[in-house]
Amino acid sequence: IVFIVACTIGHFEGWTIGKSIYYAVITTTTIGIGDVAPVLPSMRLLSLLFIPASVAVVGQILGQIAGSRLKREARMAEKKFLERELALSDLEEMDDDGDGQVSEADFISFMLLAMGKADKRSILEIRKLFAKLDRDESGTLDRDDLA
């Protein structure tokens, strides 16, 4: 779309296809040297719409490329983390209450934090909510807790 609009502007300005594409690249990358610019009032008006829209389109494309790369790197780091051996220091870090044992909830909390899927504050808020809902303090939720 960016090149189509730039070529349309170029057509009415009498530019070559090459000059129109050059205009699109210089404009969308915000280099804007000023050596190629519309002269006709109608094309200048169209450029007022074209310039911000084309910059936004290029920004979105670059953002998607960067986002894809970051997601791929995060997946690779997550895979590497999940494949590593569990160390005694990990168990000690997971043991929130210091009783020498790691519950499934402790393990899941540790893994979510370590993998960057949750932050400490969110985990604490969820644990507080569970404690509040667990009225009989049994460590589980059942119908009696909801009554």
Side-chain angles (χ1 to χ4, degrees), residues 5 21 25 41 43 49-50 53 58 61-62 69 78 81 92 101 105 107-108 111-112 115 122 130 135 147:
V5 175
I21 291 172
V25 171
M43 293 302 104
L49 302 172
F50 170 69
V58 169
I61 291 168
L62 293 175
R69 181 171 182 210
E78 184 177 305
F81 178 77
E92 290 169 351
Q101 296 181 338
F107 179 79
I108 291 170
M111 295 301 284
L112 289 172
M115 293 168 50
S122 296
F130 182 88
R135 293 183 184 171

Side-chain angles (χ1 to χ4, degrees), residues 49-67:
L49 302 172
F50 170 69
I51 292 170
S54 64
V55 169
V57 166
V58 169
Q60 184 178 13
I61 291 168
L62 293 175
Q64 288 175 344
I65 292 168

Side-chain angles (χ1 to χ4, degrees), residues 62-80:
L62 293 175
Q64 288 175 344
I65 292 168
S68 294
R69 181 171 182 210
L70 289 173
K71 284 179 185 177
R72 189 181 83 239
E73 288 176 4
R75 281 193 309 271
M76 290 171 46
E78 184 177 305
K79 181 180 178 189
K80 184 178 178 182

Side-chain angles (χ1 to χ4, degrees), residues 8-136:
T8 301
I9 292 171
H11 171 74
F12 287 103
E13 290 289 333
W15 301 338
T16 65
I17 297 285
K19 192 171 187 177
S20 298
I21 291 172
Y22 173 78
Y23 171 73
V25 171
I26 293 299
T27 301
T28 59
T29 57
T30 68
I31 294 172
I33 297 171
D35 57 337
V36 177
V39 177
L40 297 172
S42 59
M43 293 302 104
R44 292 179 76 122
L45 184 63
L46 180 57
S47 290
L48 284 174
L49 302 172
F50 170 69
I51 292 170
S54 64
V55 169
V57 166
V58 169
Q60 184 178 13
I61 291 168
L62 293 175
Q64 288 175 344
I65 292 168
S68 294
R69 181 171 182 210
L70 289 173
K71 284 179 185 177
R72 189 181 83 239
E73 288 176 4
R75 281 193 309 271
M76 290 171 46
E78 184 177 305
K79 181 180 178 189
K80 184 178 178 182
F81 178 77
L82 291 172
E83 290 173 350
R84 74 180 179 85
E85 293 290 323
L86 195 63
L88 180 59
S89 60
D90 293 328
L91 285 177
E92 290 169 351
E93 192 175 340
M94 287 181 217
D95 184 15
D96 286 341
D97 58 8
D99 66 354
Q101 296 181 338
V102 175
S103 69
E104 183 179 11
D106 292 336
F107 179 79
I108 291 170
S109 294
F110 173 82
M111 295 301 284
L112 289 172
L113 289 168
M115 293 168 50
K117 304 277 185 183
D119 58 43
K120 190 89 171 166
R121 194 182 107 249
S122 296
I123 297 288
L124 291 174
E125 287 177 11
I126 291 168
R127 287 184 180 229
K128 284 180 187 176
L129 175 61
F130 182 88
K132 180 181 171 184
L133 294 171
D134 184 19
R135 293 183 184 171
D136 61 3

